């Protein structure tokens, strides 16, 4: 099975010409890094975003929600150096959390 680029371009052109059809674009990781404005990327990568968030919370007291979250992650031997891992851990549905983490 071959990938026919011309056929895909024709399909895309047809979709774009119809104003009633819903259309979405999925951009791969790293796409925002390729768009540069005055030498800097339009959006930061995950390491840059993590640094921005950590810098914003650097002066927080230990009782703030973000600092408490980081401490809980450290206690659970989770990676706190990457915002993506922090969000993944915090977005686990509560019933899965109880099954996987509290049952052991």
């Amino acid at each position: 099975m071959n990938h026919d680029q011309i056929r895909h371009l024709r399909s895309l052109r047809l979709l774009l010409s119809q104003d009633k059809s819903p259309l979405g674009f999925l951009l791969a990781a790293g796409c925002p890094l390729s768009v540069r404005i005055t030498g800097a990327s339009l959006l930061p990568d995950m390491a840059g975003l993590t640094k921005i968030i950590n810098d914003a919370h650097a002066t927080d007291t230990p009782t703030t929600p973000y600092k408490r979250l980081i401490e809980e992650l450290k206690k659970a031997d989770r990676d706190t150096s990457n915002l993506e891992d922090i969000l993944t851990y915090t977005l686990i549905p509560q019933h899965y959390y109880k099954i996987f983490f509290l049952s052991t």
Side-chain angles (χ1 to χ4, degrees):
M1 180 177 200
N2 291 333
H3 176 72
D4 186 359
Q5 295 173 342
I6 302 298
R7 185 179 62 130
H8 287 288
L9 287 173
R10 285 182 184 144
S11 296
L12 180 60
R13 185 177 297 135
L14 179 65
L15 283 171
L16 291 173
S17 67
Q18 299 173 357
D19 62 347
K20 301 288 185 215
S21 298
L23 180 67
F25 289 98
L26 300 175
L27 303 176
C31 256
L33 294 175
S34 65
V35 178
R36 301 263 178 199
I37 297 177
T38 63
S41 62
L42 180 62
L43 298 173
D45 61 353
M46 194 52 65
L49 190 57
T50 303
K51 183 178 179 342
I52 291 168
I53 298 297
N54 286 334
D55 289 350
H57 291 282
T59 59
D60 286 359
T61 62
T63 58
T64 59
Y66 186 75
K67 291 287 187 172
R68 289 186 2 227
L69 171 65
I70 296 300
E71 285 306 313
E72 288 299 317
L73 290 170
K74 287 178 181 176
K75 286 180 194 175
D77 291 329
R78 301 289 176 182
D79 184 16
T80 59
S81 64
N82 185 324
L83 187 62
E84 191 172 19
D85 292 334
I86 294 169
L87 292 174
T88 298
Y89 183 79
T90 59
L91 295 177
I92 296 174
Q94 191 62 32
H95 61 280
Y96 288 128
Y97 180 82
K98 288 176 183 174
I99 292 169
F100 292 115
F101 297 109
L102 297 181
S103 64
T104 57

